[in-house]
Amino acid sequence: MKKAPFLSFFVLLVFALNTLGPLPAKADDLLVPQPGMMVALSPPEDPPLLKGIKVHAEDPFRFDFILDKGDSELSADELKDESSRL
């Protein structure tokens, strides 16, 4: 097979190009707490969840989706978009 030398060259080329890419950020540039400092918990979140699906016996291709809207304050249109996404 003639693909082996081409594949080896391709892997070498990709490796070389990755080493020339952007350098990783230094630790001084990151916004992290100092070692030993306590980190506060993030506030609890209760997102919208799909709780169940109801299948109708008389029409098996008709579904009702049971959605728990959680603690979100979504408008009717936003809740409809979120339920479609779920």
Side-chain angles (χ1 to χ4, degrees):
M1 288 246 147
K2 293 285 184 178
K3 291 184 180 183
F6 175 73
L7 183 62
S8 298
F9 176 73
F10 180 72
V11 170
L12 183 64
L13 179 67
V14 169
F15 178 75
L17 290 177
N18 278 336
T19 58
L20 297 176
L23 297 175
K26 295 184 287 187
D28 297 337
D29 297 338
L30 300 176
L31 299 175
V32 294
Q34 295 296 324
M37 290 190 65
M38 182 177 281
V39 178
L41 296 174
S42 60
E45 182 179 347
D46 189 16
L49 294 173
L50 182 63
K51 289 288 187 174
I53 300 174
K54 180 180 177 184
V55 180
H56 296 272
E58 66 277 357
D59 187 7
F61 293 111
R62 182 175 164 215
F63 302 107
D64 288 336
F65 296 99
I66 302 167
L67 181 72
D68 179 15
K69 72 177 198 173
D71 61 0
S72 62
E73 299 294 328
L74 299 174
S75 68
D77 291 335
E78 292 172 337
L79 187 60
K80 186 175 181 180
D81 290 341
E82 183 70 19
S83 63
S84 295
R85 188 178 64 81
L86 290 174

